[in-house]
Amino acid sequence: MANTFLPPEERNLTPEQVEALDRRRDWGLTLQVIAGQFAVIAVVLSLWVGQDLTYSPGWMHPMAYYFALAVSIVLVCGATGTIMRRGTVRLD
């Protein structure tokens, strides 16, 4: 009897396809964990961004740049990890 909890496109996979699907979902979870860790770093950096933008002269705003980098890593890794964890078709 077929497992009805699986999406229809995943019910008749070969063992090699199941391993590839598991690897893809594992990488997706890894990217989501990385995004979560950088989200914590971004929250901590956000405590200093306002002060950095207010008091640093000219273009010298290292905390703002680190914050922007952390937020971009969170967005990219989080979105990519979520797509990989979902049942989207991966083109090899």
Side-chain angles (χ1 to χ4, degrees):
M1 185 168 149
N3 185 354
T4 57
F5 292 119
L6 291 174
E9 60 272 3
E10 294 179 8
R11 291 184 185 165
N12 298 316
L13 296 177
T14 65
E16 293 82 20
Q17 291 171 329
V18 171
E19 288 178 18
L21 181 66
D22 287 342
R23 268 194 311 274
R24 187 188 83 212
R25 288 186 176 162
D26 287 342
W27 271 109
L29 180 61
T30 302
L31 289 173
Q32 286 177 333
V33 168
I34 291 170
Q37 291 172 342
F38 270 95
V40 171
I41 292 170
V43 167
V44 172
L45 285 173
S46 71
L47 300 173
W48 288 284
V49 169
Q51 181 181 3
D52 182 50
L53 291 173
T54 303
Y55 295 116
S56 294
W59 286 94
M60 303 303 267
H61 303 293
M63 288 298 157
Y65 299 141
Y66 294 148
F67 177 73
L69 178 66
V71 169
S72 63
I73 290 172
V74 167
L75 294 176
V76 169
C77 287
T80 305
T82 301
I83 289 169
M84 289 178 79
R85 294 267 306 160
R86 194 178 309 152
T88 57
V89 178
R90 185 175 70 166
L91 301 173
D92 287 328

